[in-house]
């Protein structure tokens, strides 16, 4: 089964959190699409070499990780530009198309709902997946995942999230406060899929 | 032509602005769905008596405002509950979803106000749904966003910009405008397209 892992992936710790949980899914034979992991441009070695020569990269920074991973990290931090790395400019349409493909190919969505509101990108993905699910029986549902204490305190009141977003999730899934429960839900959907339900 | 007006509706001035968007469309002969305006109530007949007994309303108030508006306001301020009024409580997420999704499914276009530090999550979710439905429904023409928030404008502006996924969705499924009047113009263009394609039901031509 394929899932799309949606969430606010703008800080290193959220990306790490999502990657760690995606790894748990992989260990359970579930194939996750993780937007920030799908962003893996390969940087040509001669570009790295020239950046080191210019002093934009330090030789010691390259120890213990691949040059491409380092370059992507520095790109996110704003220390390097796409131009310096020889990468084409990345438009909003490009990001959308890439992630939309991930949604189209998924059987379910895991959506990390933390934050003062559901992240707008995540909310948009929830909406798209629900719209697709209505016409595609291979799409099973959306598992919301909340670790935010402000939401958990309101677990009995829809986790304090926007009523429309909550309504969409509850039409085709549920919100869970623990990842084991998320995994349990995905396993149920997987069994249903295999049984052709 | 039916247009779903999506946007944040949580403060009195947000609701006022969304109503203004709806009104701008209505003046052009378009049928807008504005979620907070559609919040209809099937009020029991003794509602005015109950509210007056509690000192929440006077006879005079009733002559100045429709009863449903008064009650909506009191519910929003949490001065009374649905139970107090004998209205079905039910899970309200389900009520909101059923009504708003039904309207999205019927609409030929979406007007989305995307102002805020980020796009309101309900609005973003509605944009996503409309985009997905557009893929298989030729009577859905597109999404036009109204965006005029200093915090997320690239230029001039001082914020972090719009979420790239949401922006990409809007650009693939429609267009972003700074001014409401340009958004209305776009909707009229789509309306003309629908008419020439014979996809528009007979509609009222007068207000």
């Amino acid at each position: 089964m394929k899932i799309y892992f949606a969430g606010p992936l703008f800080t290193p710790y959220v990306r790490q959190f999502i990657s760690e949980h995606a790894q748990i899914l992989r260990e359970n034979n579930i194939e996750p699409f993780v937007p920030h992991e799908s962003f893996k441009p390969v940087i040509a070695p001669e570009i790295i070499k020239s950046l080191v020569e210019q002093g934009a990269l330090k030789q010691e920074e390259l120890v213990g990780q691949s040059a491409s991973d380092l370059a992507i990290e520095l790109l996110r931090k704003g220390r390097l530009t796409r131009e310096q790395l020889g990468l084409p400019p990345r438009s909003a349409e490009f990001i959308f198309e890439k992630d939309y493909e991930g949604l189209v190919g998924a059987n379910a969505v895991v959506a990390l709902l933390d934050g003062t509101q559901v992240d707008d990108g995540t909310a948009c993905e929830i909406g798209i997946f629900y719209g697709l699910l209505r016409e595609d029986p291979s799409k099973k549902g959306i598992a919301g995942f909340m670790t935010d204490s402000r939401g958990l305190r309101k677990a009995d009141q829809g986790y304090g999230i926007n009523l429309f977003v909550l309504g969409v999730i509850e039409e085709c899934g549920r919100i869970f406060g623990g990842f084991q429960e998320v995994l349990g839900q995905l396993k149920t959907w997987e069994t249903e899929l295999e049984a052709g339900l | 032509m039916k247009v779903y007006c999506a946007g944040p509706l949580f403060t009195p001035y947000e609701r006022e602005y969304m109503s203004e968007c709806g009104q701008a469309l209505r003046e052009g002969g378009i049928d807008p769905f504005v979620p907070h305006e559609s919040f209809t109530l099937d009020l029991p007949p003794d509602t005015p008596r109950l509210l007056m007994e509690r000192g929440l309303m006077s006879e005079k108030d009733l002559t100045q405002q429709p009863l449903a508006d008064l009650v909506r306001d009191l519910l929003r301020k949490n001065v009374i509950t649905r139970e107090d009024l004998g209205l079905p409580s039910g899970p309200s997420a389900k009520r909101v979803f059923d009504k708003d999704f039904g309207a999205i499914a019927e609409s030929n276009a979406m007007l989305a106000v995307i102002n805020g530090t980020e796009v309101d999550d309900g609005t973003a979710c509605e944009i996503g749904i409309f985009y997905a439905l557009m893929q298989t429904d030729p009577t859905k023409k597109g999404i036009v966003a109204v965006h005029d928030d200093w915090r997320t404008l690239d230029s001039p502006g001082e914020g972090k910009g719009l979420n790239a996924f949401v922006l990409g969705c809007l650009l693939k499924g429609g267009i972003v405008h700074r001014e409401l009047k340009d958004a209305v113009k776009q909707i009229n263009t789509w309306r003309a397209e629908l008419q020439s394609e014979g996809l528009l039901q007979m509609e009222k031509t007068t207000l």
Side-chain angles (χ1 to χ4, degrees):
Chain A
M1 185 167 76
K2 291 184 179 183
I3 71 112
Y4 185 95
F5 211 134
L9 35 73
F10 305 102
T11 53
Y13 42 91
V14 176
R15 285 195 293 273
Q16 194 181 329
F17 182 82
I18 291 176
S19 286
E20 281 165 11
H21 287 80
Q23 188 52 34
I24 298 175
L25 296 181
R26 271 181 216 109
E27 284 157 13
N28 283 275
N29 296 318
I30 293 168
E31 191 186 325
F33 178 96
V34 183
H36 70 266
E37 290 179 355
S38 75
F39 170 60
K40 282 255 185 280
V42 178
I43 314 292
E46 55 269 30
I47 288 179
I48 300 288
K49 197 167 160 249
S50 111
L51 287 171
V52 172
E53 280 165 12
Q54 292 162 28
L57 277 183
K58 294 190 190 75
Q59 194 63 54
E60 59 264 30
E61 289 180 308
L62 286 162
V63 178
Q65 63 180 327
S66 85
S68 285
D69 285 353
L70 175 67
I72 292 163
E73 191 193 320
L74 296 179
L75 189 59
R76 284 201 176 108
K77 286 182 174 165
R79 244 186 67 188
L80 290 175
T81 64
R82 296 186 64 84
E83 209 183 345
Q84 279 177 297
L85 292 170
L87 297 170
R90 228 158 53 109
S91 67
E93 286 101 319
F94 177 84
I95 292 170
F96 174 76
E97 279 167 23
K98 204 159 172 22
D99 293 349
Y100 182 76
E101 262 174 52
L103 285 165
V104 169
N107 304 111
V109 164
V110 174
L112 183 61
L113 304 174
D114 297 345
T116 49
Q117 70 161 62
V118 177
D119 162 61
D120 51 0
T122 305
C124 191
E125 289 161 345
I126 288 170
I128 288 177
F129 191 78
Y130 176 73
L132 297 174
L133 170 145
R134 291 178 62 87
E135 310 224 344
D136 177 357
S138 78
K139 297 202 169 352
K140 298 305 288 183
I142 300 170
F145 180 28
M146 175 74 80
T147 76
D148 191 318
S149 60
R150 295 163 296 186
L152 292 174
R153 269 204 299 272
K154 293 203 153 189
D156 57 344
Q157 294 165 59
Y159 292 86
I161 73 166
N162 178 288
L163 287 181
F164 183 81
V165 181
L166 178 63
V168 171
I169 295 172
E170 289 184 340
E171 271 308 291
C172 63
R174 266 185 67 188
I175 299 177
F176 302 98
F179 200 69
Q180 276 310 311
E181 294 165 271
V182 171
L183 189 57
Q185 177 65 75
L186 296 178
K187 293 253 174 206
T188 305
W189 283 332
E190 188 176 37
T191 310
E192 286 175 15
L193 264 179
E194 281 163 2
L197 294 173
Chain B
M1 178 179 184
K2 287 182 195 289
V3 173
Y4 188 92
C5 295
L9 305 161
F10 306 102
T11 59
Y13 43 90
E14 283 170 347
R15 288 192 290 275
E16 206 173 297
Y17 183 66
M18 293 311 297
S19 288
E20 202 181 297
C21 293
Q23 189 53 29
L25 292 172
R26 233 172 260 124
E27 281 163 12
I30 287 159
D31 181 12
F33 179 91
V34 184
H36 73 271
E37 291 178 354
S38 78
F39 178 68
T40 50
L41 293 164
D42 203 5
L43 294 169
D46 66 336
T47 303
R49 186 189 53 78
L50 193 137
L51 293 178
M52 281 187 254
E53 272 176 18
R54 292 196 177 198
L56 295 170
M57 190 187 84
S58 66
E59 290 279 4
K60 190 166 162 258
D61 290 335
L62 260 187
T63 62
Q64 289 168 345
Q65 226 183 339
L67 178 64
D69 287 357
L70 279 164
V71 172
R72 269 201 288 269
D73 205 37
L74 293 170
L75 284 171
R76 283 197 182 110
K77 288 178 177 158
N78 212 17
V79 179
I80 41 164
T81 64
R82 299 182 68 92
E83 290 75 25
D84 291 342
L85 294 167
L87 294 170
S89 54
S92 49
K94 172 84 181 145
R95 263 201 321 268
V96 170
F97 170 80
D98 283 345
K99 179 161 251 182
D100 294 352
F101 179 80
I104 293 171
E106 278 187 355
S107 292
N108 304 111
M110 177 173 277
L111 184 152
V113 175
I114 58 170
N115 294 335
T117 48
E118 63 180 304
V119 179
D120 163 58
D121 49 1
T123 307
C125 190
E126 290 166 340
I127 289 170
I129 289 180
F130 195 83
Y131 182 86
L133 298 183
M134 266 174 73
Q135 306 309 308
T136 51
D137 179 355
T139 70
K140 293 196 167 12
K141 296 306 283 186
I143 307 162
V144 59
V146 177
H147 181 216
D148 191 4
D149 191 312
W150 182 257
R151 297 164 294 185
T152 46
L153 279 168
D154 277 339
S155 172
E158 60 185 13
K160 301 185 183 77
L162 284 169
N163 179 289
F165 182 85
V166 180
L167 178 59
C169 184
L170 290 169
L171 296 176
K172 291 281 290 180
I175 190 165
V176 181
H177 279 301
R178 190 85 172 261
E179 308 259 1
L180 176 59
K181 64 173 170 35
D182 294 325
V184 174
K185 234 181 256 171
Q186 177 61 58
I187 286 170
N188 275 310
T189 305
W190 282 333
R191 186 193 194 186
E193 283 176 22
L194 281 170
Q195 274 163 342
S196 72
E197 290 158 1
L199 291 174
L200 205 55
Q201 305 288 317
M202 281 291 284
E203 56 177 14
K204 286 176 281 180
T205 48
T206 50
L207 287 178

